[in-house]
Amino acid sequence: MDRKAATIAASAGVGTDPGHKSLTPPLVASDTFVWNDPDTKPDYDYARTVQPNRDALADALAELEGAAGGAVTGSGQSAALLALLQLPGGATVIAPHDCYGGTYRLLQGLEGKGLLRAIFVDQGDDAAYAKALEREPALVWLETPSNPLLRVVDIADRAGRARAAGALTIADNTLATPVRQQPLKLGCDYVLHSTTKAINGHSDLFGGILLCAEAASAEQVHWWANAAGLNGSAHDAHATLRGLRTLPLRVAQAEASAGRIAHFLAEDERVAAVHYPGLDGFPGADIAARQQSGPGFMLSFRVRGGLEAAGRFVAALRLVKLASSLGGFSTLICRPATMTHRGMPPEAQAEAGIDPDLLRLSVGIEDADDLIADLERGLAAV
Ligand code: PLP
């Protein structure tokens, strides 16, 4: 029987230290390891190639996602680059038109150098997705729920159709986290996380991981991570594993608050729109209910009165901070158009529905009553 997420997170690497028998895996800061003789390579030789703290984190995340293995990288973006390094030169990649701005920037940058061809498409549109698949992509890039509009696509359907068209599928699972969604179990070949976000959860480091359904792909991913030097540091892996231990608890608390906040905003006439997969009638709420074990801690919304009202709303907040990250202990608000998604040109933002006055909220683990009181302060100012 599969172990439950809370058990995997709490017990990862516990009691595995062969040296001092420490309860938690020790931080192994050394960049290199001692050989017995020059002909017998030890399991750990050089820390760019292989490193015990990265292994402990990769094992825990692989078990949470149901992966054969994967590589811990220095950031979410280096995990994205590592994924793209698996493709043949000049390959076509189908990505969501409303993907994370950094993903958009990376794909566009590589396309500008002639290294790949990027097709951005509304993956919720059946006909548009089918048409894009006719262009013989090597990879379909999914991001569901998407950042910042929380759009949900049917992973099993999209991955199945990609496979039938000869394409591999990767899912950026950063927003859902493995405690709410496991894309490999729904037919994806790769899953990517920015562990900077909820997995670490403490807003004090950068990290990423690329996980693979197949052991052979995991081997290739390790080869490239070492060859290109994309692996993350021992210190970050050690701290991320500590953060991971409380991921299920933090997601549960933040998600419960996000649900209350989404309803609070949706019922207020000063609010023009709320995007949250846990709201009845939200497009994709039914798919989210099927493939996610909860609607998550992220939402976005627009207040009535446009950009100026949005500015007044943000300026009035005291507890919620204006900052562009997500998934941490602290509730953060941002205006994606000028913050997280500024790597996406205004035309592409407009096409994706990322309006200039859209506000994105990453709900943290503060008390929901205090968060709602702060948001009420914002609404009073619009
Ligand atoms: N994927 C998503 C959905 C993100 O929101 C982010 C960062 O905001 C990334 C990937 C990139 O991660 P990192 O900032 O760790 O490079």
Side-chain angles (χ1 to χ4, degrees):
M1 195 188 92
D2 287 353
R3 299 201 305 162
K4 299 280 195 283
T7 308
I8 298 168
S11 66
V14 166
T16 57
D17 168 27
H20 299 91
K21 300 223 161 270
S22 61
L23 180 73
T24 63
L27 167 62
V28 180
S30 184
D31 66 338
T32 194
F33 298 85
V34 179
W35 295 47
N36 283 335
D37 67 74
D39 296 318
T40 317
K41 193 179 96 49
D43 288 345
Y44 293 104
D45 58 342
Y46 186 58
R48 192 194 64 237
T49 315
V50 60
Q51 203 285 327
N53 295 105
R54 282 203 307 269
D55 282 356
L57 179 60
D59 287 352
L61 289 171
E63 189 176 352
L64 282 170
E65 287 283 9
V72 171
T73 58
S75 67
Q77 285 309 96
S78 46
L81 180 60
L82 182 56
L84 297 173
L85 285 173
Q86 309 309 304
L87 302 178
T92 296
V93 179
I94 297 181
H97 70 327
D98 59 339
C99 61
Y100 165 58
T103 307
Y104 188 93
R105 183 195 288 128
L106 178 63
L107 289 169
Q108 275 235 309
L110 293 172
E111 183 174 55
K113 287 192 161 294
L115 294 171
L116 55 76
R117 191 163 55 137
I119 301 174
F120 296 98
V121 63
D122 178 354
Q123 295 180 348
D125 178 335
D126 273 335
Y129 185 65
K131 201 149 177 271
L133 286 179
E134 285 171 12
R135 296 176 68 181
E136 300 184 354
L139 183 72
V140 170
W141 192 289
L142 301 178
E143 186 186 311
T144 177
S146 69
N147 175 10
L149 286 162
L150 287 307
R151 291 200 182 115
V152 176
V153 297
D154 185 328
I155 297 176
D157 175 79
R158 292 314 187 234
R161 286 168 62 182
R163 188 172 300 267
L168 296 171
T169 310
I170 183 169
D172 183 336
N173 204 26
T174 301
L175 262 66
T177 86
V179 305
R180 286 291 175 265
Q181 177 170 275
Q182 289 117 13
L184 298 179
K185 295 183 180 167
L186 297 170
C188 290
D189 301 280
Y190 298 98
V191 67
L192 172 148
H193 285 281
S194 164
T195 56
T196 314
K197 307 295 180 328
I199 286 175
N200 178 54
H202 291 73
S203 301
D204 52 6
L205 57 76
F206 270 90
I209 190 159
L210 179 64
L211 293 157
C212 314
E214 302 293 335
S217 317
E219 243 179 71
Q220 278 300 303
V221 158
H222 278 291
W223 191 92
W224 275 104
N226 177 50
L230 297 173
N231 281 322
S233 80
H235 290 83
D236 288 342
H238 183 256
T240 303
L241 185 60
R242 186 165 73 167
L244 177 71
R245 301 217 184 276
T246 54
L247 178 70
L249 299 171
R250 287 184 283 106
V251 168
Q253 162 86 7
E255 181 180 65
S257 299
R260 276 189 59 193
I261 290 169
H263 284 98
F264 162 76
L265 292 172
E267 282 158 20
D268 196 297
E269 59 188 19
R270 293 163 291 186
V271 176
V274 181
H275 306 274
Y276 183 62
L279 282 180
D280 284 346
F282 179 70
D286 51 336
I287 303 172
R290 266 201 323 269
Q291 70 189 14
Q292 298 175 213
S293 57
F297 52 79
M298 296 290 298
L299 58 112
S300 55
F301 62 99
R302 289 175 38 241
V303 292
R304 290 193 198 283
L307 203 48
E308 285 182 9
R312 287 194 295 275
F313 180 94
V314 169
L317 301 174
R318 283 192 228 142
L319 178 60
V320 178
K321 300 296 178 221
L322 178 67
S324 57
S325 195
L326 61 95
F329 59 88
S330 181
T331 300
L332 303 181
I333 196 161
C334 77
R335 191 150 75 76
T338 57
M339 295 173 72
T340 51
H341 286 63
R342 65 176 180 277
M344 196 183 255
E347 320 78 70
Q349 288 187 7
E351 173 99 22
I354 302 170
D355 294 321
D357 61 342
L358 182 76
L359 297 173
R360 187 193 78 183
L361 200 66
S362 170
V363 179
I365 56 172
E366 305 92 336
D367 190 278
D369 289 342
D370 292 329
L371 289 171
I372 288 173
D374 204 37
L375 297 171
E376 178 56 53
R377 211 173 278 133
L379 286 175
V382 301

